[in-house]
Amino acid sequence: MPEEKKRKVGWATVWRESKEIIWARRYRLAVGLALLIVSRLAGMVLPGTTKILIDDVIGQGRSELLWWIAGAAGVATLIQAVTSFSLAVLLGVAGQRAITDLRLKVQQHIGHLPVSFYEENKSGELISRIMYDAEGIRNLVGTGFVQLVGGMFTSAVALGVLLWLNWRLTAMTLVLLFFFGIVMVMGFS
């Protein structure tokens, strides 16, 4: 019995289907991105308060600023907690919905296949394909995609702040990181 070759899926197909899945859930993802940006901006308040604490409170003895610093840190932490919870609920529901829809679509397709297909394939493999292959969608529509964009946003803002504070030191650090990356790539290849 000759083995059948598995059909290769091209990048164009993957990109087209990914865009369809993302476009169908674009409103949830847009709200998720907005919440993530608010969360990331609130997360930058705490490191910013450290500068004021060291420069003004300790350096200049302005202890009246302690209440303002503590209040800003508390509000930022509260905002981060609320937005993180909202993100988990919002994108968790979107990811589960996408997985459920995909599983139903695959199950309907498999249900319409001829009996010969079931004779040639193991039932465990079919169940595995229906149940576990759809889990990759969670990274696309769930928290994975939004976390990727949020990480890039945070990196860009942090790089901008570092360049604003001291562009020479930031440039030296980036050059060192570049060389470190080259050494890591060569070491692991």
Side-chain angles (χ1 to χ4, degrees), residues 105-184:
K105 188 188 270 186
V106 171
Q107 178 66 35
Q108 287 173 351
H109 175 73
I110 287 180
H112 289 77
L113 294 174
V115 175
S116 62
F117 174 80
Y118 294 105
E119 291 174 353
E120 295 171 3
N121 294 295
K122 296 176 185 175
S123 61
E125 288 178 5
L126 294 176
I127 291 171
S128 175
R129 296 296 296 241
I130 293 170
M131 294 305 292
Y132 300 116
D133 283 0
E135 289 293 323
I137 298 298
R138 185 186 318 266
N139 289 331
L140 186 63
V141 182
T143 57
F145 177 71
V146 173
Q147 291 291 341
L148 174 70
V149 173
M152 291 188 324
F153 171 77
T154 304
S155 299
V157 169
L159 182 64
V161 169
L162 288 174
L163 286 170
W164 176 69
L165 289 174
N166 190 339
W167 69 270
R168 289 183 183 101
L169 185 60
T170 304
M172 282 190 339
T173 304
L174 288 175
V175 168
L176 287 174
L177 281 174
F178 177 73
F179 285 122
F180 178 73
I182 288 174
V183 168
M184 293 300 287

Side-chain angles (χ1 to χ4, degrees), residues 5 25-26 63 68 73 124 130 140 151 161 173 186 189:
K5 290 186 179 180
R25 289 150 187 87
R26 65 188 175 274
S63 60
W68 290 103
I130 293 170
L140 186 63
V161 169
T173 304
M186 289 176 12
S189 62

Side-chain angles (χ1 to χ4, degrees), residues 54-87:
I54 291 173
D55 290 348
D56 295 340
V57 174
I58 295 173
Q60 297 177 2
R62 297 182 60 196
S63 60
E64 73 274 1
L65 293 177
L66 279 175
W67 288 107
W68 290 103
I69 293 171
V75 169
T77 303
L78 184 65
I79 289 172
Q80 270 191 297
V82 169
T83 54
S84 294
F85 177 75
S86 301
L87 269 171

Side-chain angles (χ1 to χ4, degrees), residues 1 33 40 49 56 97 118 170 183:
M1 186 162 121
L33 284 171
R40 296 295 169 101
T49 59
D56 295 340
R97 172 64 64 179
Y118 294 105
T170 304
V183 168

